[in-house]
Amino acid sequence: MVWKGYIRMSDKLTAYRRADAPLPSTHRLWPLYGAGLENLGRDGRPIEVPLPSFGPDELLVRHDACGLCFSDIKVIKQGQNHPRIFRDIAADPIVLGHEVSMTVVGVGERLRDQYRVGDRFIIQADIRVNGVGYAYGYMIQGGLSQYNVIDQRILNGDDGNYLIPVRPTTGYVESALVEPWACVIAAYRLQYRTGLKPGGTLWVVGPAQTPVDEPAYTIGAGFDEAAHPARLALTRVPPRFAEWLKSRAARLGIEVQETDDLTAPPFAPVDDLVLLEPTADTIETTSPHLADFGVAALVGNLHLSRPVSLDIGRVHYNRWVYVAGKGPDVARAYSDVPVRSSLREGGRALFVGAGGPMGRMHVQRAVQLAKGKGPSVIVCSDVSDMRLADLCTSYAAEAEAKGVRWLCVNPTNREAYQSAMAEFESGGFDDIIVLAPIPAVIADAARLLAPRGVMNVFAGVTRGTMVELDLNRLFERDNRIIGHSASDIEDMQVMLMQVESHELDTNRSLAAVGSLDAAREGMQAVIDTAFPGKVVIFPHIKDLPLTPLAELKEKMPSVYSLLKDGREWTNAAEEEFLRLMLP
């Protein structure tokens, strides 16, 4: 019902969802002009700019909700030195925000058969066109703005259409948080090669001294007519194996070059690095030449004289993986113990740094997987008692109701921590998920891996972060260390499907809300790790300072009454919130 041109309060949300109201001539956004939070906005405030026009092959969208991410903080700290920023942001500022839900409010004339005003989407932010990155919230204006133009880079990029449709009944927070959640589920969907890369580059490096009794090295699969590398580099390979490789390479048309220089392989980077009876020095010298998704296979009886310093940042970002086998068949180093990324059913799982927003997502997923499909033991560590207490309040009872043993430990309380962890010293953990980007923490966690255990370095450790690891012990136990960063379109589609089928609830990740004006305050809260969960900004609501959900009890009791257990966001709470807060 409309009274004298004014929409009843109860109908504001309906009108907002229709998205067909007249558009304003201006809108507001948060430009970032340089490194440092002081360079976000002008005088600590968003700015007002003309509403952008859109062309016949473009869409105009309204940003409905935007999650704040620690990745945003990395851009704020690094400014234009961030690896995803390719311009002078002092002259041409960027607008952050890649965890965003949006609604179409304008459709170009050549797109009217495909899109309608009111259509809702989320976006896979890692946009590429002809191999060039135009990430949303980095190079393309992001969700800390009220409106934006979706152009052909997004609608027709290298991976197709980066927009992912959202059902009308899905919540705005619920859909905005699909993006960080997709990164979480992607960590358990990783695929690793079980053999040499067909058409790739193989570098075989032999021992410093040729053994008197040369092992009968061979490659039982992946080096034949069915599949084989395109290039082969050889360095001090024992004579018989070198002759076998060169003879077969000649028959298969593989280009071969030999070198004695461990620092400069003739083909670089290399997809497969095979190290025969390696030393720690050899592993450290050759590893930097691995390509993205590269595999280093350590073949022989490892007798390393010291821990090996590995670039764990490359394991995380470039998806390097180290495998091992006693030989003499190189192929078995890949295939005998395939690299697993899913949590072991009925196993023991340790989440290191579990109390932060991303850690909570990992833990929630593990709890919801339980009852035969997930771990039977979940141990959560964090240096914040506040975060651990909140984590326990959120998930402990649910885990225990499913028969999962639950334990929270704070490593800063050394005596209590050591006492609680003593039982795991010998048996170890089947899965260790590391959410703290601290080399000493990663090294300490690795020693707790059970036989055939997997450690996933999920934390955003930068490339060049070196960690000293006892590879003798790791490979005696057939351990694997993997890493993960980001998600792709398929990951987001899978995650959205799990949200819309009520398999996983992204709303449970929300800790605080605010209006567009509160974005700077929200970024500071992320920097300060002030909340155990996510901060979400609603760009179109009335002014609202950053507000933890618990404070809604006093500020918006009708919204608070619709929270689950007085602490978790729900779609019903969101609807009431928007009825109150939409202008």
Side-chain angles (χ1 to χ4, degrees):
M1 179 181 294
V2 177
W3 292 332
K4 297 181 180 179
Y6 293 95
I7 300 173
R8 288 192 316 172
M9 182 174 173
S10 61
D11 290 335
K12 284 196 300 182
L13 181 55
T14 300
Y16 183 79
R17 286 173 170 164
R18 283 201 311 266
D20 57 0
L23 294 170
S25 59
T26 62
H27 76 124
R28 297 191 306 149
L29 52 81
W30 281 95
L32 180 69
Y33 296 98
L37 200 56
E38 67 275 11
N39 287 309
L40 182 63
R42 288 188 182 142
D43 301 321
R45 303 280 298 172
I47 66 171
E48 189 166 333
V49 298
L51 191 74
S53 58
F54 59 99
D57 294 305
E58 297 175 335
L59 305 172
L60 182 67
V61 297
R62 180 187 70 202
H63 291 142
D64 297 308
C66 183
L68 304 187
C69 176
F70 199 78
S71 296
D72 297 323
I73 304 305
K74 292 179 184 177
V75 182
I76 290 171
K77 288 183 176 180
Q78 297 177 40
Q80 67 189 50
N81 293 323
H82 189 280
R84 285 191 170 188
I85 305 300
F86 310 107
R87 66 177 187 245
D88 178 2
I89 64 175
D92 186 9
I94 60 171
V95 177
L96 299 169
H98 58 277
E99 301 176 359
V100 60
S101 59
M102 60 184 69
T103 301
V104 174
V105 294
V107 180
E109 60 187 44
R110 287 201 285 264
L111 297 178
R112 288 173 186 167
D113 290 339
Q114 300 169 256
Y115 300 94
R116 297 284 184 274
V117 168
D119 287 349
R120 291 186 53 204
F121 296 96
I122 53 176
I123 188 166
Q124 176 19 263
D126 193 14
I127 296 153
R128 293 186 176 275
V129 180
N130 298 323
V132 178
Y134 296 97
Y136 206 80
Y138 296 82
M139 290 298 288
I140 296 177
Q141 178 180 302
L144 291 185
S145 59
Q146 291 182 305
Y147 295 92
N148 196 24
V149 171
I150 300 296
D151 60 27
Q152 285 296 309
R153 291 175 297 178
I154 298 168
L155 300 177
N156 192 26
D158 289 352
D159 299 307
N161 192 336
Y162 290 87
L163 294 183
I164 300 168
V166 175
R167 293 177 184 173
T169 54
T170 304
Y172 295 119
V173 167
E174 200 174 33
S175 52
L177 296 186
V178 163
E179 197 282 336
W181 261 95
C183 298
V184 171
I185 69 162
Y188 303 103
R189 303 177 70 238
L190 302 178
Q191 300 292 318
Y192 289 90
R193 284 189 280 116
T194 56
L196 301 176
K197 182 178 179 179
T201 298
L202 167 63
W203 185 18
V204 182
V205 178
Q209 292 184 337
T210 301
V212 176
D213 296 320
E214 179 184 334
Y217 294 117
T218 186
I219 302 178
F223 203 87
D224 49 34
E225 289 79 1
H228 55 78
R231 293 162 296 280
L232 171 64
L234 302 176
T235 300
R236 66 190 192 201
V237 178
R240 280 188 295 169
F241 190 37
E243 183 58 34
W244 185 92
L245 288 165
K246 287 188 283 188
S247 174
R248 182 161 290 203
R251 190 169 80 244
L252 297 172
I254 299 172
E255 182 181 357
V256 180
Q257 290 197 33
E258 297 186 69
T259 180
D260 291 328
D261 190 351
L262 293 179
T263 65
F267 309 112
V270 298
D271 301 295
D272 291 278
L273 171 62
V274 173
L275 303 176
L276 307 175
E277 305 288 343
T279 64
D281 286 343
T282 302
I283 298 169
E284 291 171 352
T285 302
T286 56
S287 287
H289 301 292
L290 280 169
D292 290 355
F293 307 99
V295 179
L298 315 183
V299 179
N301 294 304
L302 289 189
H303 298 293
L304 302 174
S305 60
R306 61 175 175 82
V308 179
S309 183
L310 297 184
D311 189 339
I312 212 71
R314 298 285 181 179
V315 171
H316 172 78
Y317 280 109
N318 298 75
R319 296 272 301 277
W320 289 357
V321 66
Y322 290 78
V323 299
K326 289 184 169 51
D329 185 353
V330 170
R332 295 191 64 175
Y334 289 77
S335 61
D336 276 2
V337 184
V339 182
R340 170 178 58 82
S341 62
S342 59
L343 297 177
R344 177 159 289 158
E345 292 186 7
R348 300 175 299 276
L350 169 64
F351 297 88
V352 181
M358 300 305 290
R360 291 172 66 90
M361 294 178 199
H362 280 275
V363 172
Q364 179 185 328
R365 179 185 176 275
V367 169
Q368 295 193 312
L369 275 177
K371 207 78 172 176
K373 293 186 178 179
S376 62
V377 176
I378 293 176
V379 179
C380 303
S381 75
D382 201 276
V383 296
S384 166
D385 285 333
M386 179 273 288
R387 288 188 170 203
L388 282 177
D390 194 86
L391 193 68
C392 287
T393 300
S394 296
Y395 304 113
E398 184 177 349
E400 291 164 357
K402 293 183 175 182
V404 177
R405 186 176 171 211
W406 173 274
L407 182 65
C408 281
V409 289
N410 187 331
T412 62
N413 186 339
R414 294 304 299 173
E415 185 175 343
Y417 177 78
Q418 290 172 356
S419 175
M421 297 293 282
E423 67 175 286
F424 302 106
E425 288 286 341
S426 58
F429 292 93
D430 300 292
D431 293 280
I432 299 176
I433 310 299
V434 181
L435 300 129
I438 303 168
V441 170
I442 295 169
D444 185 61
R447 69 180 183 82
L448 293 173
L449 281 169
R452 297 211 169 190
V454 176
M455 182 167 75
N456 190 320
V457 183
F458 185 89
V461 288
T462 58
R463 295 173 179 86
T465 300
M466 310 306 290
V467 175
E468 292 197 349
L469 297 170
D470 181 358
L471 293 190
N472 288 319
R473 184 177 188 277
L474 288 176
F475 289 118
E476 283 170 6
R477 292 181 160 221
D478 288 327
N479 293 147
R480 296 291 182 261
I481 297 176
I482 63 176
H484 168 69
S485 177
S487 63
D488 59 22
I489 292 174
E490 184 181 354
D491 294 323
M492 289 193 67
Q493 290 169 331
V494 170
M495 185 62 221
L496 181 61
M497 179 182 67
Q498 292 180 336
V499 168
E500 295 184 333
S501 65
H502 309 295
E503 186 177 340
L504 286 170
D505 185 0
T506 53
N507 277 331
R508 298 180 71 177
S509 301
L510 183 64
V513 294
S515 65
L516 189 64
D517 293 271
R520 192 174 186 276
E521 184 185 2
M523 292 294 189
Q524 186 65 60
V526 175
I527 293 170
D528 296 339
T529 63
F531 301 111
K534 296 289 292 185
V535 173
V536 170
I537 297 300
F538 288 85
H540 291 272
I541 64 172
K542 294 179 287 188
D543 185 34
L544 177 70
L546 190 62
T547 304
L549 297 191
E551 292 185 10
L552 294 175
K553 186 173 184 178
E554 298 297 327
K555 294 182 177 180
M556 298 181 200
S558 62
V559 176
Y560 181 83
S561 68
L562 295 170
L563 299 181
K564 181 183 177 183
D565 300 325
R567 54 184 290 108
E568 293 182 0
W569 194 251
T570 65
N571 289 348
E574 181 175 275
E575 290 177 2
E576 177 64 11
F577 174 78
L578 291 172
R579 289 187 182 105
L580 295 177
M581 294 303 299
L582 286 171

